Amino acid sequence: MSTVTGWRSRLAFVVMLTAWSIPGAQAQAAPATGIVIVTGQQATTPVPTLMEGAANGVGNQDVADQLFLRLAELGPKAQTAGDRDFVPALARSWTRRDSTTLVFDLDSRARWHDGTPVTARDVVFTFKRAKNPDLAPRVSDLLRQIVSVAAEGDSRVVFRFARPYAEQLYDATYHVAPIPFHLLDSIPPDSVSRSSFATSPIGSGPYRWVRSVPGQFVELAAVPDFFLGKPKIARVILRTAVEPSARLNLLLSGQADAMDIIPPPSVNQVAADTTLRLIAVPSSTMGFLLFNQRDPKNRARPHSILADNRVRRAITFGLDRRQLVQAVFGSHGMVPYGPVSQLLWIRHRSPRAEGPNVNEARRLLAATGWGDSDADGTLDRDGHPLRLVLSVPNTSGIRRQMALLIQEQLRRIGVQIEILQLEFPIYLERRAAGDFDVDFSSVNQDPSPSGLTQSWACTGGNNVAGYCDRGVDSVMEQAVRGRGDPGERWIEALRKIEEDAAATFLYAPAFMYAVNRRFRGVTITPQSAWLTLRKWSVSPVPVAGRSR
Amino acid sequence: MGGWLLRRALQAVVTLAIATALLFVLMRAAPGDPLFRLSADRPISQKEIEVLRARYGLDQPVGRQLAAFLGGLVHGDLGVSIEYGRPVTALLAERLPATLLLGGSVLLLNFTVGLWLGVRQAVRRGAREDRWLTTLSLTGYAMPSFWLGLMLAWLVGVEWRLLPAAGMQDPLLSSDAGWLTRAGDVLRHLVLPVLTLSVVSIAATMRYQRAAMLEVLHLPYIVTARAKGLPERLVTWRHAWRNALFPVITLFGLWLPILVSGSVFVEAVFAWPGLGSLAAGAVGGRDYPLLMGASLLVAALVVAGGFLTDVAYALLDPRVRIG
C-alpha cells in the first residue's frame, strides 16, 4: 500500500511540474515595448456618440481617448474658459470670425486607421449625430449652445454658437471626438451600436483597435504613422478586474504595469514596492453632506430641522473636516471650498475652507432654541431630540468610514446622527426622491464649472435637496453666459453657497496611480488618465528588485 | 419509462415558466431603478432618463414588459443589457465557457476526490487517517471561500509568484501561440480559483459520502459478500459504494446550479470572467434584462439538477418505481 501511495505522490508531482513547464505557460513579463494597465471597467462601446447611459463610463472613455482624436485637447490646467489651455490635435489651428463663430483648420496629415484622410465632412457628420437627442441624449444636451457645424472645403469646419460665452472652444472640442463618415454613413444611426464598427472601431488616434476579450482585456496597438508622432509604447493592454483587491494583486504580482485609483488603505502597500512609482492625480470626485431643506415626507413643507440655515452652519462648524480627510485620504485629500473637486480650475482661486469652531456651533444651535433640557448629551427642542438620519450607500467604504467619524464628531455638539446604510440602487432611488435628512453624496465633475448649475441652481435637474438661492442662480448664470474670464463670478457663487450652508463640503481627493518605473515621461492628466500615453517611453530593461 | 420521462420533462418546463414569471415580477417590485444608477456619479437630465427609459422599454407597464420579454424568449432574445448596451444572450454566451470551465473543474474534483476520500474514511472508520480527514474536512467546510481566495491570491500569486494572482489568460501571450501553450496558460490561471471553491465542496461531499458508506457497510449483504470471500476492494467499491451513491446523487443535483451562482465571490477575487461576476454586477445596477437572463439560467440549472437527479435515481435504484 505504501508503494501505491508513493507512486501516486510522484505522479501528482510530475503533473504539477508538467503544468508549470508547458512552454509559454508561465506568467509573462510585459514585452519591452508594451504596457498592461489594470482598470475596473472594460470598454464595451468606446465610440464617441455611442457612449450614452451606462456606456458613459471610464472604461469606454479610456479606450476612446486612445482611438479617437479630438479637434483639440484640454491642457494640463483643465482651464475650460477661454482658448489658452487647449492644445491642437485633429485641428492644427482655430480662429474666431466673430463672437459666435469658431473656425477650425484640420491637420491635413490626419488619417483614419484604414488610411482614409480625416476631413471636415467627418466633423460635420459627427456633430449631426451627437446633437440628435434621441441618439445621444447626454452629449446633445452638452452641445446645446452649438447652433450649426458646417464644412468649408475638405479641411475647414465652421462652428456657430447661440451666443457669445467663454467655453465655446471647450464645448466644440471636449465632449465628442470625430467619427468616420465613410464607414458609418451607410449604417442607420440606431444600428451603429450593434454593428461591427462598434465591436472593432476605426479611429484617428495614436492607437488602433486590436481585440477585446470579454471580461478580461482590450488590446490596442500603436499606429506607426500617426501624424503627431509614432507612440513609443507599441502595445497597450487594458486589463479588467472589477474587484479592487484583484486589481491590486495583478499590479503587485507583476501581471500589470499600471493601475488607476489605488484604494486609500492600500497606498502604503503599493508604496513599499520599489518597482512602482506612485503618482497623485487631482480627481474629479467631491464628497459632501447634502442637507435636505424640504420635509422628506412632504416636499411642500420645509424640513423641520434643516430648513434653518443656522443649524446647517452649526453642523459644518461642528466638524473637523481636515481631520476627517486626513483619516481617510492621508495627505492626498483636501477640504474644498464649495462644491469643487480638484479637477475644476476655479479651485485655484477659491479661499480656504473654514476650520472647525465648536463654540460657534453651540452658539448657533442655542440661538435656534436647541438645548439639552434632559442632560442626556443630545440637544432637544419642544421635546424632540436633534436627531438626523445620514443616508450612506453600503458600496462606498470611504463614505461608510467617514460617516462613523462624523457621527462621533457631531455627538460632541449634541447632534445625534443615525447612519442608514442602503443598498446602492435603493440609496439612489431615495436620494432622487428627496427621501433623506442628510445625504452623504459623492459626485464626479466635468472639467467645466458650468455643471454646478445642475445641482445648485433652484431648477437644476440634480437639485434633490430643495436648495434655492436666487442670488446664486443669478451669479452662476452670469458666469456661464458671460464673456471673458468668469472666474470671479464662480468664486462669488461658491461663497454664497458656503454662506447658505447648502451642504458641508467634506473632501476633494487626489487619486493615487501606480506605474512601473521602467516607463519614462509619465504624466497623468486628471480629465483622462491615460491620454498622454503616446508620449510615454519604456526602458527595455526591467526594473529589478521588489523591496517590502 | 418514456412516458414518465416526458411527464417529468413537462413538469420541469412548467416549473421554469412559473419561475420566469415570478422572477420578472419580483425584480420589478424590488426597490431601485436601473436608470438612477446613471446619476450616481454625475448629474443626469430628465430628457436623458426619458430617452433611455423608452430605449429599454422601461416606460411600459410591467405586464407589457413581461409579454415583450416572453415573446423575445421564445425567439431566444433576452433583450439588451442596460449596463453593457449589448444583447444579453451574447453576454451570457461570452461568459458561459469560463463559468463552465471553473464550475466543471470544481464538480469534477468534488465528485472524484471528495467521493474517494469519503469512502476511504468510512472503510477506515476511527483510524488516525479518518480522524485527520474529518478534522480537515470540517476545517475546509467552515472556511469562507472569499477569505480563502484572498489568502491564496495574495500568498501564492503575489508573495510567492508561483501562479497567476488573477485573470483567466495572459493577455501578453503571443497570438500565434499553440493550443498547448494556451491550454497550459489557462490551466495555470485555473488552479487557484478551483482550489478555493473545491476546498468547501470536497469537504461537504466527503462528509456525505462517509455517512452514506457507514450506513451501507453494516448491512447484511455486505457481511454476506465478505463471507463469500470477495476481496475487500470489490466489497467496498462494487457492493457498498454503489448503494451509498444515492445521497451523493442528490448532492450533485444541488451543486449543479452552484456552477453559476456559487462562484460570485471567487470570480471577483480572481477576476475570473464568468457569469457569476456578470450577474453580481447586474444585481448592483438593477440591470433587469441581464439579471433576468442570468437568473433564468440559474433557474434552468436548478430544474435540470432536480430532473437529472430523478432520472439517475430511476435508472440506478431498482427500488424506485416509475410511472
Side-chain angles (χ1 to χ4, degrees):
Chain A
M1 192 69 188
S2 64
T3 313
V4 174
T5 310
W7 176 80
R8 282 176 185 155
S9 306
R10 281 196 293 276
L11 179 65
F13 179 73
V14 170
V15 169
M16 293 290 280
L17 203 64
T18 309
W20 260 278
S21 59
I22 290 169
Q26 294 83 358
Q28 303 263 312
T33 56
I35 185 169
V36 178
I37 299 168
V38 60
T39 65
Q41 286 181 21
Q42 183 166 9
T44 49
T45 43
V47 179
T49 72
L50 296 185
M51 295 187 293
E52 291 286 333
N56 176 35
V58 179
N60 278 330
Q61 196 61 59
D62 280 347
V63 174
D65 282 344
Q66 304 302 331
L67 297 176
F68 295 91
L69 209 56
R70 292 181 173 90
L71 289 171
E73 292 294 351
L74 186 57
K77 293 177 188 164
Q79 169 85 32
T80 54
D83 300 358
R84 280 173 301 175
D85 196 28
F86 286 83
V87 182
L90 214 48
R92 63 179 161 78
S93 63
W94 49 88
T95 52
R96 290 186 179 279
R97 282 193 185 153
D98 54 50
S99 62
T100 56
T101 310
L102 193 54
V103 180
F104 290 92
D105 285 310
L106 302 184
D107 195 314
S108 58
R109 299 169 298 168
R111 295 281 182 280
W112 296 107
H113 296 155
D114 63 0
T116 310
V118 178
T119 65
R121 194 170 55 170
D122 297 311
V123 182
V124 173
F125 171 75
T126 302
F127 277 83
K128 190 178 171 193
R129 291 257 164 120
K131 282 182 65 61
N132 181 341
D134 293 327
L135 290 175
R138 180 186 67 89
V139 175
S140 64
D141 187 48
L142 293 167
L143 301 179
R144 62 190 177 279
Q145 298 299 336
I146 298 174
V147 177
S148 68
V149 181
E152 285 184 0
D154 272 353
S155 60
R156 178 164 288 181
V157 193
V158 181
F159 282 70
R160 289 201 169 78
F161 297 86
R163 54 179 174 75
Y165 64 103
E167 290 190 332
Q168 287 177 348
L169 184 56
Y170 170 75
D171 278 350
T173 59
Y174 186 79
H175 305 301
V176 63
I179 50 177
F181 168 82
H182 70 287
L183 296 173
L184 291 169
D185 183 48
S186 57
I187 305 173
D190 54 357
S191 303
V192 176
S193 61
R194 295 187 296 278
S195 69
S196 60
F197 184 88
T199 50
S200 67
I202 290 172
S204 57
Y207 286 90
R208 66 176 173 79
W209 181 269
V210 176
R211 62 176 171 153
S212 168
V213 180
Q216 297 191 62
F217 59 87
V218 165
E219 182 176 346
L220 310 176
V223 175
D225 50 356
F226 180 60
F227 71 102
L228 293 174
K230 181 187 173 185
K232 297 182 183 77
I233 296 175
R235 194 177 177 197
V236 175
I237 286 159
L238 290 135
R239 195 169 184 172
T240 313
V242 176
E243 174 65 28
S245 69
R247 291 203 291 278
L248 205 60
N249 286 340
L250 283 166
L251 179 75
L252 295 174
S253 66
Q255 287 178 268
D257 298 303
M259 175 176 164
D260 58 3
I261 312 179
I262 312 280
S266 306
V267 168
N268 288 340
Q269 195 183 358
V270 176
D273 190 327
T274 53
T275 63
L276 298 170
R277 177 191 296 131
L278 272 173
I279 302 164
V281 181
S283 83
S284 62
T285 298
M286 196 265 302
F288 54 99
L289 298 180
L290 181 63
F291 301 122
N292 199 348
Q293 300 188 25
R294 311 306 303 173
D295 185 338
K297 304 298 172 210
N298 181 357
R299 302 287 292 161
R301 290 197 314 229
H303 194 282
S304 59
I305 299 173
L306 293 169
D308 193 321
N309 168 298
R310 290 170 296 179
V311 176
R312 303 195 301 266
R313 284 175 59 77
I315 290 174
T316 303
F317 279 127
L319 290 171
D320 187 340
R321 291 179 282 173
R322 287 193 179 82
Q323 190 184 62
L324 295 173
V325 169
Q326 179 68 33
V328 177
F329 296 103
S331 57
H332 301 295
M334 55 172 278
V335 178
Y337 183 83
V340 174
S341 69
Q342 290 199 28
L343 173 64
L344 263 62
W345 57 270
I346 53 174
R347 83 171 170 99
H348 298 293
R349 303 189 191 178
S350 61
R352 270 170 71 88
E354 283 183 292
N357 189 340
V358 173
N359 290 335
E360 178 64 4
R362 290 196 174 117
R363 189 192 68 74
L364 285 166
L365 289 170
T368 52
W370 291 100
D372 192 1
S373 63
D374 52 4
D376 66 347
T378 300
L379 301 181
D380 52 79
R381 187 174 66 185
D382 304 330
H384 297 289
L386 181 41
R387 180 188 299 143
L388 295 164
V389 177
L390 174 59
S391 302
V392 184
N394 65 2
T395 45
S396 169
I398 286 171
R399 280 183 271 179
R400 278 187 290 135
Q401 185 187 350
M402 207 176 260
L404 291 171
L405 301 173
I406 287 166
Q407 185 182 46
E408 181 55 26
Q409 287 193 1
L410 291 181
R411 193 181 57 78
R412 293 180 308 194
I413 59 166
V415 177
Q416 190 181 342
I417 293 290
E418 184 187 326
I419 298 171
L420 178 63
Q421 287 193 29
L422 295 162
E423 197 206 352
F424 197 47
I426 299 170
Y427 161 80
L428 291 172
E429 190 172 59
R430 291 179 67 151
R431 185 181 193 276
D435 187 6
F436 60 90
D437 285 334
V438 184
D439 180 83
F440 203 150
S441 304
S442 172
V443 291
N444 286 334
Q445 298 177 319
D446 278 340
S448 165
S450 60
L452 296 179
T453 55
Q454 290 265 9
S455 299
W456 308 101
C458 294
T459 54
N462 205 38
N463 183 354
V464 293
Y467 167 67
C468 185
D469 181 330
R470 298 288 173 201
V472 172
D473 283 14
S474 167
V475 178
M476 287 200 295
E477 180 73 6
Q478 289 170 37
V480 170
R481 289 181 166 271
R483 298 167 69 176
D485 182 5
E488 289 309 312
R489 283 175 222 119
W490 281 119
I491 299 302
E492 193 182 341
L494 299 184
R495 188 175 52 73
K496 283 177 178 292
I497 292 170
E498 281 277 352
E499 280 172 5
D500 288 340
T504 299
F505 302 101
L506 291 171
Y507 60 83
F511 285 146
M512 302 304 291
Y513 288 63
V515 180
N516 193 293
R517 288 184 187 277
R518 69 195 179 92
F519 295 93
R520 314 271 181 213
V522 173
T523 52
I524 295 179
T525 52
Q527 63 270 27
S528 175
W530 316 111
L531 188 66
T532 61
L533 203 58
R534 70 181 173 87
K535 295 175 183 168
W536 298 15
S537 61
V538 56
S539 159
V541 183
V543 178
R546 186 170 60 131
S547 165
R548 283 178 193 283
Chain B
M1 181 73 174
W4 176 83
L5 268 177
L6 190 65
R7 277 199 305 279
R8 192 63 190 80
L10 276 175
Q11 274 178 8
V13 171
V14 171
T15 308
L16 199 57
I18 293 170
T20 304
L22 273 176
L23 278 168
F24 192 93
V25 174
L26 286 174
M27 243 171 240
R28 267 123 182 116
D33 185 306
L35 296 182
F36 283 139
R37 199 195 73 76
L38 306 179
S39 66
D41 293 334
R42 62 183 178 84
I44 180 167
S45 69
Q46 197 56 37
K47 170 71 182 169
E48 190 176 347
I49 288 185
E50 281 167 18
V51 168
L52 293 171
R53 209 175 280 285
R55 186 175 293 177
Y56 295 107
L58 298 170
D59 56 345
Q60 301 293 317
V62 174
R64 196 170 292 175
Q65 288 183 45
L66 177 60
F69 176 78
L70 293 175
L73 186 62
V74 172
H75 298 101
D77 178 7
L78 292 167
V80 175
S81 158
I82 297 169
E83 180 76 22
Y84 293 87
R86 296 185 52 216
V88 171
T89 42
L91 285 168
L92 295 179
E94 282 168 4
R95 301 295 189 98
L96 194 59
T99 290
L100 290 179
L101 179 63
L102 177 61
S105 306
V106 172
L107 271 188
L108 186 70
L109 268 182
N110 186 7
F111 287 95
T112 50
V113 177
L115 291 186
W116 178 65
L117 287 175
V119 171
R120 273 183 80 96
Q121 275 191 282
V123 297
R124 290 165 176 75
R125 185 189 185 186
R128 196 164 59 176
E129 183 180 347
D130 179 34
R131 291 200 302 274
W132 269 108
L133 285 172
T134 297
T135 308
L136 278 177
S137 63
L138 288 176
T139 308
Y141 199 58
M143 204 175 287
S145 294
F146 67 90
W147 178 84
L148 180 64
L150 284 171
M151 290 299 108
L152 283 174
W154 173 71
L155 205 64
V156 182
V158 177
E159 285 298 313
W160 299 340
R161 297 198 178 192
L162 287 175
L163 288 165
M168 186 179 165
Q169 60 175 283
D170 185 349
L172 298 168
L173 209 59
S174 167
S175 55
D176 52 8
W179 72 267
L180 188 63
T181 305
R182 290 184 180 282
D185 180 46
V186 172
L187 188 68
R188 285 170 51 79
H189 285 82
L190 188 64
V191 173
L192 292 182
V194 164
L195 193 62
T196 305
L197 282 170
S198 296
V199 165
V200 177
S201 63
I202 286 177
T205 305
M206 279 168 68
R207 301 304 297 162
Y208 268 86
Q209 185 64 90
R210 180 182 181 274
M213 275 295 281
L214 285 177
E215 276 184 27
V216 172
L217 284 172
H218 290 101
L219 294 176
Y221 81 93
I222 297 293
V223 179
T224 308
R226 283 187 178 132
K228 285 198 297 187
L230 288 176
E232 191 57 30
R233 178 170 293 189
L234 215 58
V235 173
T236 302
W237 292 103
R238 183 171 294 174
H239 293 266
W241 182 63
R242 284 176 68 173
N243 278 322
L245 199 55
F246 296 109
V248 184
I249 291 174
T250 308
L251 196 63
F252 177 83
L254 294 173
W255 272 107
L256 201 59
I258 296 175
L259 268 176
V260 175
S261 61
S263 55
V264 171
F265 289 115
V266 174
E267 285 188 10
V269 167
F270 291 103
W272 189 262
L275 283 171
S277 48
L278 193 71
V283 173
R286 295 289 191 274
D287 187 346
Y288 292 149
L290 184 53
L291 200 51
M292 202 55 214
S295 304
L296 204 57
L297 195 64
V298 174
L301 285 172
V302 170
V303 172
F307 177 70
L308 290 176
T309 305
D310 287 355
V311 172
Y313 266 95
L315 290 175
L316 297 174
D317 191 346
R319 292 167 298 185
V320 174
R321 288 171 181 271
I322 54 174

